[in-house]
Amino acid sequence: PVHVITVNDYLAERDAAAMRPAYEALGLTVGCALAQMSEAERKAAYDCDITYTTNKQVAFDHLRDRIQLRGCNTQLGLQFRDQNTQPLLLRGLSFALIDEADSVLVDEAATPLIISKQGKPAYDETMLIAALDKAKGLVAEQHFYLHSDTRKLTLATVGKEELQDWAQTLSGLWRNTRYREQLIVQALRALYLFECNWHYLVDDGKVKIIDEFTGRLMEDRSWEQGLHQLIEVKEGCGITGEMETIGRISYQRFFRRYQMLGGMSGTVHEVASELRSVYGLAVAKIPTHRKSQRYHLRSRVMRSDTAKWQQVLESIQTKHAEGRPVLIGTRSVGASEHLSGLLDDAGVEHRMLNARQDAEEAGIIALAGVRGQITVATNMAGRGTDIILGAGVAELGGLHVIATERHEARRIDRQLFGRCGRQGDPGSYEEIGSQHDDLVSSQLPLWLRRIAQRSLQLGGRPGESAVIGLLKYAQTKAQRRSIKIRIQMQKMDEYLENVLAFTGRLE
């Protein structure tokens, strides 16, 4: 069995339909395993010679099979397995070919895949409300410390003493130091580390997590240890039950189980060493079929967010006046909606693509190359869907891409830039940022942020060049932190495998 793996259902279904006639002419069967299908339909797809699916779907289906095999996951156990039980979905992990390999094998590898069932809330609504109210009264740098670069939060000794005094008038779990401090820390994280329209959005009265790397919604996923419920209370949503983990697997462990593994991506060369050390994969660089006509315009860093958005708006209007299509990339849903509002105020027609329009992604991005079209998109930016230039657009200079904020990995920036100038078409891109962007505030210490501020006050290109250098440093620092997290994930996998091997219950 061959698994052709991509990043979303639309691409899997599209590519299966496009290639089916060729495969069937060769006597091969083709299936497509998608999230909305029943298990019986997905099993039929996996029974084909070639199966198109997504990384999450195939990994979760493998994990479901492993859970079902508990107690009989040896050769002898398989021989005596009850034949009347539900059949396994997959026929095995023989060969996988992965599209957008760096996104699947590296970016998403920092988060384990977990199958869970709905349980009872660990804390009742009264406790959650009390925790949030108390957390709002605590003062940063006095009662607690925020570590924005690592997204961690710790209580200070003064904060612990304050909570202890406060709990003297309460009863139940509040009298337990461990539970009390854990819940307050989670309440502080909900207030100060998780933002609506950045890390999650509220849709139909439910809190839905936004995937940091793709900008897409992560349906049926929730945070652990009461954090999700605290955010639900914070946003005035109904409280869901705590999820109880049934099975867990990481991408590192899952993809190493394939007998043969390969893939491709336009931005995979920068993580070649990690792919070699984790997955045993070598990277080959293939030159472009046609000479690139993609041009990088001057990068700009503004002194304030207001100035940044004004510069973005001016750049859009300039290119629009030339008749060129423009694609603007943002890092969050909130930023895309803010820019959309500015364009509305200026009377500029445009289309918006973020997690709220996930289902319309391909249709919106496919039209982004039409003459005069303006598209505002989060970092998903329609990866895998070619932006075809409309009539006469190539003569005008092709698609113009504007990046409004750098991502933690430079590869993700380059993926956005790569939306223009494809297959030898002309195109251009530019970066317009601010000294207050999230990458600066989360990765640079205060003294470096002050240097950036003074450099911009000098004005001119030398000052901007100095700040761009600091942005590169911040990006490198963030990338190192991400690598460290993935290494820790791999070590934890190996530790669990060794410690829990005798139980047969790792997954």
Side-chain angles (χ1 to χ4, degrees):
V2 174
H3 296 159
V4 184
I5 297 170
T6 188
V7 292
N8 63 53
D9 282 352
Y10 165 76
L11 294 176
E13 191 170 22
R14 182 200 69 180
D15 294 349
M19 295 302 296
R20 180 173 281 108
Y23 291 132
E24 290 180 347
L26 296 168
L28 299 170
T29 57
V30 181
C32 192
L34 306 176
Q36 66 269 23
M37 292 180 173
S38 66
E39 289 198 358
E41 290 173 322
R42 292 203 306 277
K43 175 171 170 45
Y46 288 124
D47 284 342
C48 295
D49 298 315
I50 301 168
T51 306
Y52 283 80
T53 187
T54 66
N55 50 308
K56 285 187 174 67
Q57 192 60 59
V58 69
F60 273 126
D61 284 339
H62 171 74
L63 186 53
R64 290 184 182 97
D65 284 348
R66 297 289 295 180
I67 292 170
Q68 198 179 147
L69 286 173
R70 282 177 179 169
C72 58
N73 54 353
T74 63
Q75 288 295 325
L76 185 61
L78 287 171
Q79 293 296 324
F80 289 96
R81 184 169 176 263
D82 188 351
Q83 298 301 312
N84 294 322
T85 57
Q86 187 175 352
L88 301 178
L89 292 168
L90 278 69
R91 293 187 289 145
L93 303 178
S94 298
F95 174 50
L97 188 62
I98 306 172
D99 188 22
E100 307 294 359
D102 57 333
S103 178
V104 173
L105 297 176
V106 176
D107 293 333
E108 298 191 42
T111 306
L113 298 171
I114 296 172
I115 290 181
S116 53
K117 64 179 180 180
Q118 194 83 39
K120 295 180 179 179
Y123 306 99
D124 60 38
E125 187 173 1
T126 305
M127 285 192 72
L128 296 171
I129 293 172
L132 283 171
D133 287 343
K134 184 60 183 176
K136 289 174 184 176
L138 299 179
V139 181
E141 303 304 318
Q142 178 184 343
H143 297 111
F144 65 92
Y145 300 103
L146 273 173
H147 310 283
S148 55
D149 57 337
T150 57
R151 294 189 56 75
K152 290 184 179 179
L153 189 148
T154 55
L155 286 174
T157 303
V158 175
K160 293 178 180 179
E161 292 172 353
E162 167 70 21
L163 293 177
Q164 186 174 5
D165 293 341
W166 171 66
Q168 296 303 314
T169 60
L170 304 173
S171 59
L173 287 175
W174 290 121
R175 305 301 289 270
N176 183 297
T177 303
R178 177 170 167 269
Y179 281 105
R180 177 177 67 239
E181 292 181 358
Q182 177 180 304
L183 186 55
I184 294 297
V185 165
Q186 292 292 64
L188 289 167
R189 292 182 71 210
L191 290 172
Y192 299 110
L193 290 179
F194 289 83
E195 297 180 33
C196 187
N197 293 336
W198 179 280
H199 303 101
Y200 64 91
L201 59 79
V202 178
D203 182 35
D204 195 25
K206 296 180 180 179
V207 171
K208 297 184 178 180
I209 300 174
I210 298 174
D211 190 314
E212 177 183 355
F213 298 104
T214 65
R216 296 182 176 89
L217 290 178
M218 301 173 74
E219 299 286 353
D220 302 321
R221 297 289 293 273
S222 63
W223 289 294
E224 296 180 305
Q225 300 176 347
L227 177 61
H228 201 90
Q229 288 71 30
L230 283 160
I231 292 175
E232 287 172 333
V233 172
K234 169 187 166 184
E235 298 295 340
C237 301
I239 299 176
T240 57
E242 191 80 23
M243 303 304 288
E244 299 175 11
T245 300
I246 302 173
R248 175 188 183 277
I249 194 170
S250 68
Y251 278 131
Q252 289 100 324
R253 192 161 79 247
F254 170 69
F255 281 109
R256 285 187 306 208
R257 289 181 173 170
Y258 276 95
Q259 295 173 21
M260 292 178 287
L261 185 64
M264 64 206 71
S265 172
T267 52
V268 77
H269 197 261
E270 296 166 32
V271 288
S273 59
E274 188 171 349
L275 291 173
R276 186 182 301 109
S277 63
V278 176
Y279 301 98
L281 295 173
V283 172
K285 194 170 183 179
I286 301 172
T288 56
H289 178 52
R290 297 184 177 91
K291 184 180 178 181
S292 175
Q293 296 190 61
R294 184 184 302 121
Y295 297 100
H296 182 193
L297 305 186
R298 176 189 171 193
S299 295
R300 303 290 305 274
V301 182
M302 314 308 289
R303 293 171 62 178
S304 68
D305 287 339
T306 301
K308 177 181 82 169
W309 292 117
Q310 185 58 40
Q311 183 64 45
V312 170
L313 189 60
E314 289 176 8
S315 183
I316 293 170
Q317 290 173 320
T318 299
K319 300 302 178 187
H320 184 61
E322 297 171 2
R324 293 179 63 183
V326 183
L327 173 66
I328 308 98
T330 65
R331 276 196 65 181
S332 69
V333 174
S336 68
E337 292 178 342
H338 175 71
L339 178 56
S340 178
L342 293 177
L343 289 168
D344 283 337
D345 293 341
V348 179
E349 289 189 14
H350 62 283
R351 303 186 77 183
M352 186 167 62
L353 171 61
N354 59 36
R356 297 189 195 276
Q357 293 84 33
D358 201 4
E360 307 164 41
E361 175 183 348
I364 293 174
I365 210 69
L367 295 174
V370 175
R371 181 172 179 144
Q373 184 66 257
I374 296 173
T375 309
V376 179
T378 49
N379 60 5
M380 65 178 81
R383 288 189 71 180
T385 304
D386 271 338
I387 297 177
I388 307 299
L389 298 184
V393 171
E395 290 73 18
L396 297 173
L399 176 68
H400 182 66
V401 172
I402 302 174
T404 60
E405 190 172 348
R406 288 197 178 201
H407 296 84
E408 291 191 354
R410 189 58 175 168
R411 288 178 298 103
I412 300 176
D413 293 333
R414 294 207 297 117
Q415 288 159 11
L416 176 63
F417 304 152
R419 304 313 301 157
C420 69
R422 298 176 73 83
Q423 300 292 331
D425 286 338
S428 58
Y429 66 94
E430 63 180 320
E431 298 175 271
I432 302 173
S434 159
Q435 64 169 332
H436 301 296
D437 285 345
D438 182 69
L439 186 67
V440 176
S441 59
S442 66
Q443 299 300 325
L444 295 182
L446 181 60
W447 66 276
L448 275 179
R449 296 203 297 272
R450 284 176 176 166
I451 289 176
Q453 186 176 9
R454 288 170 186 166
S455 298
L456 289 177
Q457 286 173 349
L458 295 174
R461 292 198 177 188
E464 279 192 349
S465 298
V467 178
I468 289 169
L470 289 175
L471 279 171
K472 290 179 180 177
Y473 168 74
Q475 238 174 359
T476 301
K477 186 179 176 184
Q479 287 172 182
R480 286 174 180 166
R481 179 176 66 88
S482 298
I483 291 171
K484 186 177 179 180
I485 291 171
R486 292 192 293 269
I487 290 172
Q488 289 173 343
M489 173 77 70
Q490 186 180 353
K491 287 182 177 178
M492 178 58 72
D493 268 349
E494 292 168 355
Y495 170 77
L496 289 173
E497 197 159 7
N498 291 331
V499 171
L500 302 178
F502 67 93
T503 68
R505 292 294 299 273
L506 177 59
E507 298 163 6

